[in-house]
Amino acid sequence: MYDNILVPMALDHGVSGTTLKVATTLRSPGGQITALHVHEPPHSSVNAYLDADTVREGFDRARQALTEKIAGHADVTARIVRGRSYRAIVEYAQQHGMDCIVVGSHKPGLSDFLLGSTAARVVRHAPCAVHVCRPA
């Protein structure tokens, strides 16, 4: 059982219900669950064509989507940060004393073995236990 669980959430994947359920099962009585979305900045070549309002609207839409994903989970705190996925997840876990990360993952393909998926990088660099959930 864990006291402080981090659940990274990619808002465009359908695994968040599963990862939240797993985190709830792994949580100690009185423990905390934090749902974290990492909002990645647009690539620099794309960013040149976007104005500040468009970027801010994208961030606001991501915040709203995160809020909707955790609706019905009153005991889950939503957080959104800017950065690159795996680095931001690992840094958040370090800075906030997480003792477990429950992360979703797809089945690995050839490119994942060469480049590494976000989940694989989190597993390699996390300062705590990591539970990886794959959809059936």
Side-chain angles (χ1 to χ4, degrees), residues 94-111:
Q94 289 170 334
Q95 293 169 356
H96 294 89
M98 299 294 168
D99 53 3
C100 181
I101 300 172
V102 178
V103 63
S105 179
H106 55 81
K107 292 185 179 178
L110 181 59
S111 65

Side-chain angles (χ1 to χ4, degrees), residues 36-129:
L36 177 72
H37 175 66
V38 180
H39 188 76
E40 294 200 27
H43 191 275
S44 59
S45 61
V46 174
N47 204 30
Y49 299 100
L50 300 175
D51 60 32
D53 289 337
T54 302
V55 174
R56 187 173 36 260
E57 288 170 12
F59 185 83
D60 292 342
R61 279 193 306 274
R63 182 182 312 224
Q64 180 62 35
L66 178 60
T67 301
E68 291 169 7
K69 287 242 181 211
I70 67 164
H73 298 276
D75 55 346
V76 175
T77 303
R79 295 286 182 252
I80 187 167
V81 296
R82 289 183 171 94
R84 298 292 176 201
S85 294
Y86 99 87
R87 283 189 205 130
I89 293 166
V90 170
E91 287 173 6
Y92 191 94
Q94 289 170 334
Q95 293 169 356
H96 294 89
M98 299 294 168
D99 53 3
C100 181
I101 300 172
V102 178
V103 63
S105 179
H106 55 81
K107 292 185 179 178
L110 181 59
S111 65
D112 295 315
F113 291 112
L114 298 175
L115 300 174
S117 69
T118 298
R121 290 178 179 172
V122 168
V123 168
R124 284 194 298 274
H125 299 283
C128 58

